[in-house]
Amino acid sequence: MRKIAIILPGDKLPLPSVKGGAVESLVQCLLDYNEKYHTYNFVVFSVYNEEAALKSRSYKPVSYTHLRA
């Protein structure tokens, strides 16, 4: 299985997309699709948000790194 790293721009909106955002929502759709079919292993770097950190635990083929701004 291939690994893909995603580094989100900005310092305001986290992933999983709990606060919206165009880029974040698009990446969230990709991760949701991958959750169903397990095609890739993703490594996601995102700004820290407590709600997003809790939600990220439910994704199996995704490794999240939440960075504090």
Side-chain angles (χ1 to χ4, degrees):
M1 203 177 297
R2 291 184 175 175
K3 278 192 173 183
I4 298 175
I6 297 176
I7 303 170
L8 291 172
D11 61 347
K12 305 263 188 236
L13 300 173
L15 197 72
S17 167
V18 294
K19 291 193 170 201
V23 172
E24 291 78 8
S25 294
L26 246 147
V27 173
Q28 185 66 47
C29 287
L30 175 66
L31 296 176
D32 289 341
Y33 180 86
N34 191 61
E35 183 70 18
K36 187 174 182 179
Y37 296 104
H38 301 285
T39 308
Y40 301 102
N41 283 331
F42 285 96
V43 178
V44 176
F45 295 90
S46 172
V47 67
Y48 179 80
N49 175 282
E50 187 174 343
E51 186 180 354
L54 291 173
K55 188 175 179 183
S56 69
R57 294 178 186 167
S58 66
Y59 287 87
K60 302 298 181 223
V62 180
S63 171
Y64 284 92
T65 300
H66 293 278
L67 307 169
R68 295 188 188 264

